[in-house]
Amino acid sequence: MKKVKYIALVLVIMLAMVGGAYAAWTDTVVVDGRASTGNMKVVFTEADLSAGGTYEVIDNAYVTDGGQKLVVRMSKLYPRNDFLEDAEDEDYAYIWFQFKNVGTVPVVFDSATAVAAAGNQFPNINRLKFGDPSFTATLGEIPGALSVWSDAQGPILPGEDKRIKLHVWLDKDAPNSYQNLTAAFEVKVNWKQANMQ
Amino acid sequence: MPPAAINEKRDTLKQIRFIAVIIIVAFGLIGVVYAAWVDQVVVAGNVRTADFNVRITGATCPNAGKSGDNFDLTYISGGGEVLESGKRARLWVDNIYPSPRVSHQNWQLYIKNESDIPVVLDSSSLDAYSGSNEVWNYLWGEIHLRIYDEKGITAANQIGSTVNSGSFIFKDGIDLKSEAVMDGIILYPGYTARYSILFWLHPDATEGQNEKIDFTLTYNWKQWNMP
């Protein structure tokens, strides 16, 4: 009889403890989250050549590699003074190209390569000179010139496009051996997020 | 028995009956009089239990589309909405890209104790997360907690104006950090906990463009006085 009473007492205590745990009320709230990343892409969209004055250049300029590379071939160039020395003179070849930020992130110029391309006949491609009212550069100096240009422009926003037009000529000191030659070069530009400068 | 004796007994029974009727009537009258003197006080036994209700009252992405400290983050969009009477919320952000911490975005989550009793955070968990590993591995965050009293004034008595977690990788820490910043903090009836969930895609993320991640964050609350 005593045992029965003892077991009953234990059962009562256990049930009371179960009741106590159950009595701890709870509530739950749930949050569903989603984060999507953007993308960064800038492409050359157009490129062309033209000539002014007595110039009659020329050859062609085109965009390749899905918009990542600009290739230019130029003929019939001849030596002349640097652009800054006679800026009013229109006897120049012109190259212009356009690129567009087709991504979702603002970008700025990061770096570039400008080198001789297949079909180039110039012994020294840096006899080719470029300029606009603010600078004069050889092909090898084009990346630096683009950097200066980018700093002045600021970020290129998503959907925005930019057009650059450069005067092109043959260095005034180019020797006779540059006659009847074709210059070919290619330009690649690397961009970076505008907020990571 | 002689007839005289029978008649005497009959009379005696009549008397007893009469007395009995008189006594009944008398007691009846006494009862009426007694009933006129008593009054009754009724105690209505109505015990109402407390309510336990923790609810999300706000979910936003307040800085999306606004300028950050060092660059225009206009192109990031985001938001939030409260669902299911405050038992669920949805937070989202689109077009995030690598940035330093200073250019972080943040979600704000307002969780209010609408109970009659104080509550504490029992546990939280990050569940059902999916999507790009590259994003998960580089999505960093911090949690900043602020408590408002029932009048909407910062309740500084428990934690000062805010308590902040350190920086952590989202998938490793958002649930644990949620618990850490709420550790020991009692949310009294009418009080609101504002979780600011800061986040940014770490600059070391070189991949992960055009990706998305999904996750579910669960907050479990309990009575403040239970272990």
Side-chain angles (χ1 to χ4, degrees):
Chain A
M1 193 62 186
K2 276 185 178 175
K3 274 187 180 176
V4 173
K5 283 180 179 172
Y6 177 74
I7 291 169
L9 181 62
V10 169
L11 282 172
V12 167
I13 292 171
M14 286 176 65
L15 285 173
M17 290 175 72
V18 169
Y22 181 74
W25 291 344
T26 61
D27 201 356
T28 298
V29 293
V30 178
V31 179
D32 299 310
R34 168 170 289 189
S36 303
T37 55
N39 68 86
M40 209 187 81
K41 190 169 188 178
V42 181
V43 295
F44 288 111
T45 53
E46 291 182 69
D48 207 351
L49 301 174
S50 62
T54 60
Y55 250 83
E56 47 170 290
V57 173
I58 312 214
D59 221 321
N60 59 19
Y62 60 94
V63 174
T64 184
D65 286 1
Q68 300 301 299
K69 187 161 72 174
L70 173 68
V71 179
V72 181
R73 298 167 63 88
M74 304 183 79
S75 303
K76 297 187 178 179
L77 294 170
Y78 54 83
R80 57 157 304 132
N81 288 330
D82 283 351
F83 178 76
L84 293 176
E85 296 175 25
D86 48 7
E88 301 302 317
D89 191 338
E90 294 183 348
D91 277 346
Y92 288 95
Y94 300 97
I95 173 174
W96 62 266
F97 53 93
Q98 187 164 299
F99 48 82
K100 183 173 186 177
N101 181 354
V102 294
T104 59
V105 177
V107 300
V108 292
F109 173 86
D110 183 27
S111 62
T113 57
V115 296
N120 175 58
Q121 297 174 328
F122 274 34
N124 178 3
I125 193 65
N126 286 319
R127 289 287 190 185
L128 203 57
K129 301 195 82 172
F130 304 83
D132 74 3
S134 64
F135 78 100
T136 294
T138 64
L139 181 67
E141 293 167 337
I142 283 293
L146 283 173
S147 180
V148 172
W149 171 86
S150 176
D151 288 345
Q153 289 285 317
I156 302 172
L157 304 177
E160 189 175 16
D161 48 24
K162 295 286 183 182
R163 189 172 189 266
I164 293 179
K165 183 179 181 181
L166 296 175
H167 297 68
V168 187
W169 66 97
L170 188 57
D171 178 30
K172 62 185 177 186
D173 297 323
N176 287 338
S177 59
Y178 279 76
Q179 293 182 34
N180 294 318
L181 297 182
T182 295
F185 61 92
E186 62 185 41
V187 178
K188 280 186 174 180
V189 181
N190 300 310
W191 305 88
K192 63 182 179 184
Q193 293 173 215
N195 65 332
M196 302 295 280
Q197 297 180 60
Chain B
M1 184 178 285
I6 292 170
N7 287 336
E8 188 177 342
K9 192 173 181 180
R10 191 175 291 154
D11 291 342
T12 301
L13 283 172
K14 279 183 179 175
Q15 282 180 350
I16 289 170
R17 282 179 187 152
F18 179 74
I19 291 167
V21 170
I22 292 296
I23 288 170
I24 289 168
V25 171
F27 272 108
L29 287 169
I30 288 169
V32 170
V33 173
Y34 179 74
W37 285 354
V38 297
D39 198 356
Q40 195 174 35
V41 178
V42 177
V43 178
N46 183 5
V47 178
R48 191 178 72 84
T49 54
D51 185 25
F52 194 103
N53 184 23
V54 178
R55 209 166 64 82
I56 301 170
T57 55
T60 65
C61 187
N63 294 322
K66 294 181 181 175
S67 295
D69 289 344
N70 70 345
F71 189 71
D72 186 357
L73 294 172
T74 302
Y75 296 91
I76 292 178
S77 60
E81 62 178 331
V82 177
L83 306 166
E84 299 176 13
S85 300
K87 293 303 178 188
R88 202 171 195 99
R90 190 167 75 90
L91 297 168
W92 70 92
V93 67
D94 293 320
N95 199 39
I96 59 172
Y97 47 88
S99 65
R101 182 197 170 283
V102 70
S103 299
H104 67 262
Q105 289 289 313
N106 71 310
W107 285 311
Q108 288 190 340
L109 196 60
Y110 294 83
I111 300 178
K112 186 175 185 181
N113 178 11
E114 296 189 344
S115 313
D116 299 321
I117 54 177
V119 302
V120 293
L121 183 65
D122 184 22
S123 64
S124 63
S125 61
L126 178 65
D127 303 303
Y129 59 85
S130 62
S132 162
N133 283 335
E134 185 72 14
V135 179
W136 275 118
N137 290 336
Y138 289 99
L139 187 63
W140 283 59
E142 286 180 19
I143 291 180
H144 295 184
L145 176 70
R146 183 183 289 259
I147 304 290
Y148 296 102
D149 67 15
E150 67 276 17
K151 294 175 182 172
I153 298 169
T154 300
N157 57 328
Q158 290 188 80
I159 58 170
S161 58
T162 59
V163 61
N164 302 341
S165 75
S167 299
F168 56 87
I169 298 175
F170 229 62
K171 73 170 184 178
D172 291 342
I174 186 171
D175 49 345
L176 298 174
K177 295 296 181 183
S178 293
E179 292 176 45
V181 297
M182 277 298 290
D183 186 33
I185 295 175
I186 299 170
L187 203 58
Y188 292 100
Y191 278 35
T192 297
R194 188 195 71 184
Y195 281 94
S196 282
I197 304 173
L198 283 60
F199 58 89
W200 65 97
L201 199 59
H202 196 277
D204 289 346
T206 55
E207 304 293 333
Q209 294 187 37
N210 286 324
E211 299 280 3
K212 69 178 179 184
I213 58 166
D214 292 285
F215 61 90
T216 298
L217 190 60
T218 304
Y219 293 97
N220 299 308
W221 302 85
K222 66 178 182 181
Q223 294 171 220
W224 92 108
N225 60 343
M226 301 302 279

